[in-house]
Amino acid sequence: MSVRTRFAPSPTGYLHVGGARTALFNWLFARKQGGSFVLRVEDTDQARNTEEARAAIFEGMQWLGLDWDEGEGKGGDYGPYNQSERDAIYQKHFEVLREAGRVYEDDGAWRFRFERKPITMNDLVCGEVTVDYSREYDDALSEEENRSAGYLPDMVIRRADGSFVFHFVNVVDDLEMKISHVIRGEDHLMNTPKHLQLFEALGAPAPQFAHIPLILNLDGSKMSKRDEGAAVSEYAAKGYLAEATVNFLALLGWSPKDDSEVFSLNELMERFSLDAVNRAPAKYDAKKCEWLNQQHLLKLSPADFAKAAEPYCQPLPDNFEKLSTSVQEKVSLLSEVPGAIAFYTDSNYPVDPEALAKVAKNEQAGPLLAALATAFESLGDWSEAKGTIGATAKENGVKPGQLMFPLRIALSGKAGGPDLGDILEILGKDESVRRIRRLVSLL
């Protein structure tokens, strides 16, 4: 049987990082096995569904690079792929259960009659899990007492208003779409024995299940929609690369079983396996996400880095590629690029007060900078500017480092930033000298 996985989001809100991670694991598994990845939409909650949320899900998937083989915009042999359009299919399978005596009416709703027996499943991540449905209802006990004694009530699969419940339509869709592997969050683990009974009652083989660990905050609390990093749409706005975001999502529960951490999407696909999915909950670490993004930024060519940074730096300054790539090694997020290059184009750039105070403490800083400005003015070949720093320091009996920090503050106003050689080249001779003499006047 060919591998077929699915992602089934509900269009009631933005694409959550947990949903994106689920989509990614399904995508990676299907691609690794040469199978198909299906995108279907659980849109039966008409009161909460919105077109904005629906569009956000598709846009988020596309930004992450998780293309699907069947579903929205692709069609397929097992459609329609919106649950709101599949009512006739659900009705057909409901009739199968009714004819088999596996459903009964209860106050207008319909319940699925569980077979009273233990249900054991072999989860591809969690291992063997057994839920005991063998306890019969005891009329002598209250509802609460029955539950406390281990009775699991029969499951509602159709509401009194005629609409079908998630558990039922989920099983029918997986059956009809020939899904071979259901990879989903561990919060669904205890639903699976219910689903297995439904598959059995419908006379259909069940897919294999893999329940992946929950995503927690660093303090161990369950990640909610309001927590930092919860919305996939935030990542692009904050300056993350899609490939870095995917890399981070993959490491939330999966391990390559060595010290490797930085992967392209293709590398993840080649190395991914359900065997390497961890059982323990994953911890969301924003600093780790930033670090991974920095590693991906460093791998870009100068032209690709500049292109990626362009949307964050509008309107673009002159010589943008050279300006932006001079800070490529200094930023973790693309949104940091405008601030990192601002001193180039601001002739009255602010000087960091702490850095200025540090320079002012060095009585030699002013004379050294003045000497360097004079040396720069006499240069015929500006490519020799960086070498002139060491020569000027030597002539004045100090180490180059004692001149380089004051020079950095003079040129950029900041204690950190691009390589001094890059700054000198970009600013040019006249502007570099002007900036040095400006700082001398402030000391």
Side-chain angles (χ1 to χ4, degrees):
M1 180 180 181
S2 63
V3 166
R4 289 176 59 80
T5 66
R6 48 77 165 175
F7 177 51
S10 175
T12 56
Y14 56 75
L15 181 60
H16 185 270
V17 68
R21 195 267 310 256
T22 296
L24 172 63
F25 282 18
N26 278 280
W27 186 93
L28 289 171
F29 186 75
R31 293 289 176 263
K32 174 75 177 288
Q33 303 296 327
S36 298
F37 174 57
V38 178
L39 177 63
R40 71 171 187 242
V41 181
E42 296 184 347
D43 61 345
T44 54
D45 190 345
Q46 296 298 326
R48 295 175 61 219
N49 293 340
T50 69
E51 281 304 312
E52 293 80 9
R54 184 185 182 89
I57 289 169
F58 299 143
E59 287 166 9
M61 294 277 288
Q62 289 164 345
W63 181 71
L64 291 168
L66 306 182
D67 56 317
W68 53 95
D69 302 298
E70 299 173 28
E72 180 76 14
K74 298 288 180 74
D77 296 334
Y78 304 99
Y81 292 91
N82 298 312
Q83 283 186 343
S84 59
E85 301 173 54
R86 297 175 62 81
D87 200 65
I89 297 170
Y90 304 141
Q91 184 64 42
K92 178 184 73 173
H93 288 279
F94 176 76
E95 292 302 328
V96 170
L97 296 179
R98 184 153 61 179
E99 288 173 13
R102 293 301 299 273
V103 293
Y104 61 92
E105 196 170 1
D106 179 19
D107 289 331
W110 287 84
R111 290 184 179 271
F112 173 68
R113 196 188 308 276
F114 287 130
E115 285 192 355
R116 293 294 155 184
K117 62 183 181 181
I119 300 293
T120 297
M121 59 179 177
N122 291 300
D123 191 90
L124 296 175
V125 172
C126 301
E128 187 175 290
V129 178
T130 299
V131 175
D132 193 355
Y133 283 88
S134 60
R135 177 84 184 189
E136 297 281 356
Y137 190 84
D138 188 339
D139 290 323
L141 300 176
S142 68
E143 189 76 28
E144 185 176 338
E145 288 171 329
N146 269 292
R147 288 177 184 269
S148 298
Y151 171 75
L152 297 169
D154 290 336
M155 173 176 60
V156 172
I157 64 167
R158 191 172 194 174
R159 302 179 187 90
D161 65 4
S163 62
F164 293 102
V165 170
F166 158 80
H167 298 289
F168 179 65
V169 298
N170 199 269
V171 165
V172 170
D173 286 346
D174 286 342
L175 184 164
E176 285 275 339
M177 295 180 185
K178 302 189 184 304
I179 300 302
S180 66
H181 293 77
V182 173
I183 304 169
R184 59 189 180 187
E186 194 178 349
D187 50 336
H188 286 290
L189 180 63
M190 299 316 294
N191 290 331
T192 304
K194 303 173 186 177
H195 297 175
L196 290 173
Q197 284 228 25
L198 278 168
F199 277 109
E200 186 178 3
L202 291 169
Q208 290 185 273
F209 289 89
H211 289 87
I212 57 183
L214 298 178
I215 300 175
L216 306 180
N217 294 309
L218 281 178
D219 63 4
S221 61
K222 185 177 178 182
M223 194 175 193
S224 75
K225 290 185 176 182
R226 294 177 297 279
D227 288 325
E228 178 189 9
V232 169
S233 58
E234 292 178 2
Y235 288 78
K238 288 180 178 178
Y240 287 92
L241 292 172
E243 196 160 63
T245 306
V246 165
N247 190 167
F248 176 67
L249 291 175
L251 295 178
L252 290 174
W254 170 80
S255 169
K257 300 196 173 178
D258 60 25
D259 294 332
S260 305
E261 292 187 292
V262 182
F263 301 99
S264 67
L265 188 55
N266 282 334
E267 288 168 339
L268 285 171
M269 183 182 70
E270 289 168 8
R271 299 192 61 172
F272 183 81
S273 74
L274 290 174
D275 293 339
V277 174
N278 302 321
R279 183 70 178 85
K283 292 284 186 76
Y284 182 93
D285 185 344
K287 288 190 168 131
K288 177 68 171 291
C289 192
E290 276 194 28
W291 177 83
L292 277 170
N293 197 64
Q294 184 180 43
Q295 303 313 301
H296 281 269
L297 290 177
L298 290 172
K299 286 186 165 190
L300 296 177
S301 69
D304 286 343
F305 178 82
K307 186 175 181 182
E310 279 184 8
Y312 304 87
C313 301
Q314 299 295 328
L316 294 181
D318 294 336
N319 205 19
F320 176 68
E321 183 172 325
K322 187 163 278 191
L323 268 58
S324 62
T325 54
S326 75
V327 300
Q328 185 170 356
E329 296 181 2
K330 303 298 179 181
V331 298
S332 298
L333 302 170
L334 290 167
S335 55
E336 295 171 352
V337 174
I341 66 172
F343 74 92
Y344 283 123
T345 56
D346 183 2
S347 58
N348 293 311
Y349 58 92
V351 177
D352 179 68
E354 287 186 19
L356 181 60
K358 188 174 178 181
V359 173
K361 283 182 183 178
N362 179 2
E363 294 180 358
Q364 292 179 290
L368 282 170
L369 285 171
L372 182 62
T374 300
F376 277 169
E377 284 176 325
S378 65
L379 276 181
D381 183 356
W382 187 239
S383 66
E384 297 175 2
K386 191 173 182 181
T388 304
I389 301 169
T392 302
K394 187 175 180 180
E395 287 170 9
N396 286 271
V398 298
K399 293 181 179 178
Q402 290 179 259
L403 180 53
M404 291 175 84
F405 181 75
L407 175 60
R408 179 174 292 282
I409 305 306
L411 297 177
S412 69
K414 299 186 287 186
D419 180 83
L420 280 173
D422 290 339
I423 297 176
L424 290 166
E425 180 188 351
I426 290 168
L427 291 177
K429 179 177 174 177
D430 292 345
E431 179 63 9
S432 296
V433 170
R434 185 193 71 80
R435 291 187 179 207
I436 294 168
R437 296 205 182 280
R438 176 196 183 211
L439 185 67
V440 171
S441 70
L442 295 174
L443 293 176

